[in-house]
Amino acid sequence: MFIIDVTNPLTLLLLLAATVLLIFLGKEIKKPFAPALPLIFFLLLVVMHSVQFMQIPEVNYDEYYSTLLGCITIDLIMIFVTFFGYLWVDDVACKFYKKKSLDNSLDWFWKEV
C-alpha cells in the first residue's frame, strides 16, 4: 500500500514550509487563491488517508494503523492552519481592493480571543 507519509519529520517540514510560503505569497500578491491551493491539497490528502485507513491490510495492521492515524491528525491540523491563512489573505485582499467582505471572516475569531 502506497502512503504519502506526512509523519516523517522531513516531509512535514517541507509541507509546512511550502504552506507558509504560499500563504505569504497570497498576502504579497493580494490573491486568496494561493493559500487555497494547499487547503485543497490537504483536503484531498485527508480523504485519501481516510480511504486507506478503512482498507488497511491484515498483514501489517499495527504499522499502517499508527502511520495513517498520525497522517490524518497532521492533515487536519494543516487544514486548520491553511483555512485561517486563507481567511487572513482574503481579508487583506478585500481591504486592499476596497471591497466589502461578505462576512468579515476573521472578526468572529478576534472577538473571542
Side-chain angles (χ1 to χ4, degrees):
M1 176 183 292
F2 176 72
I3 298 174
I4 298 176
D5 188 10
V6 294
T7 59
N8 182 356
L10 181 61
T11 307
L12 181 62
L13 184 65
L14 290 173
L15 282 175
L16 184 64
T19 301
V20 168
L21 287 174
L22 281 171
I23 289 172
F24 282 111
L25 174 69
K27 179 188 170 283
E28 289 299 316
I29 63 173
K30 312 292 192 282
K31 301 285 183 192
F33 73 86
L37 294 175
L39 181 61
I40 292 169
F41 174 73
F42 286 118
L43 286 171
L44 291 174
L45 265 182
V46 79
V47 167
M48 183 185 77
H49 286 141
S50 299
V51 168
Q52 287 178 339
F53 188 74
M54 291 186 295
Q55 299 174 350
I56 295 177
E58 293 294 326
V59 178
N60 295 332
Y61 183 79
D62 294 335
E63 177 185 347
Y64 286 131
Y65 180 82
S66 62
T67 301
L68 285 172
L69 204 58
C71 287
I72 291 171
T73 304
I74 290 172
D75 292 341
L76 292 174
I77 291 169
M78 293 303 288
I79 287 171
F80 180 75
V81 168
T82 55
F83 179 68
F84 279 108
Y86 173 78
L87 291 178
W88 177 56
V89 172
D90 185 49
D91 188 49
V92 167
C94 285
K95 287 179 183 174
F96 180 75
Y97 293 115
K98 295 180 175 86
K99 292 183 178 178
K100 181 169 173 26
S101 180
L102 293 177
D103 60 349
N104 288 339
S105 303
L106 290 176
D107 284 348
W108 62 270
F109 179 71
W110 295 118
K111 287 179 185 176
E112 299 295 324
V113 174

